[in-house]
Amino acid sequence: KLLLTAWSVDQHIWKNLGPYDYTLPQIEYIEYDVEKLGCEGKIAKHNDNGSMVSVVVLLSDPSDFEGGTNFFKGLPQKRRVILKSGDAVFFYGHQCEHWISPVTSGRRAILQMELQNPLLLQCQD
């Protein structure tokens, strides 16, 4: 369902993917657990290389952690997206710079998926 939704979002918004385009879905479970890490969990500003569609799904309950807010570059200056458990945010990862505020306490778990275009990845090398 997540893969089909990502394709549908692209078709309705960006139209990056054609009906015969080949993508590599990269799916990752990411956990920012301050106790296990012994420090804040964070990820700096970045783009998802080669990702035609990226999605982040919050698996944790927001009351389980502090911080960990999604930010995206754009107008207004910074777009802030606060997710509830089970919420997803879709974005054009190759073009959209994004990051999270530091997770200062607790545990934040997400499922992340990127639909990567092999041709864009080759251009990066």
Side-chain angles (χ1 to χ4, degrees):
K1 288 184 179 183
L2 191 58
L3 189 56
L4 292 175
T5 303
W7 272 83
S8 179
V9 166
D10 175 76
Q11 293 305 298
H12 284 82
I13 299 172
W14 306 294
K15 298 182 180 19
N16 288 323
L17 301 170
Y20 302 107
D21 282 342
Y22 176 71
T23 60
L24 301 169
Q26 299 293 315
I27 300 172
E28 193 174 6
Y29 171 81
I30 301 173
E31 181 180 77
Y32 302 90
D33 189 323
V34 174
E35 188 175 323
K36 282 183 186 176
L37 292 170
C39 62
E40 294 180 339
K42 56 187 172 183
I43 186 158
K45 294 178 182 179
H46 68 284
N47 292 42
D48 298 334
N49 293 335
S51 179
M52 304 304 285
V53 181
S54 293
V55 60
V56 171
V57 180
L58 183 63
L59 302 176
S60 302
D61 187 298
S63 65
D64 292 343
F65 61 92
E66 294 290 325
T69 301
N70 295 283
F71 285 91
F72 300 88
K73 184 177 180 180
L75 296 174
Q77 295 293 332
K78 295 178 187 171
R79 294 185 203 168
R80 180 176 70 149
V81 177
I82 299 173
L83 300 174
K84 297 179 203 147
S85 183
D87 282 354
V89 60
F90 293 82
F91 53 99
Y92 184 5
H94 184 73
Q95 298 266 326
C96 182
E97 186 177 53
H98 56 282
W99 63 97
I100 65 165
S101 62
V103 178
T104 56
S105 67
R107 179 183 156 275
R108 177 185 187 262
I110 64 164
L111 177 72
Q112 174 182 296
M113 182 180 75
E114 299 174 13
L115 291 183
Q116 294 182 330
N117 181 324
L119 298 176
L120 282 176
L121 290 172
Q122 286 177 342
C123 293
Q124 298 284 317
D125 293 337

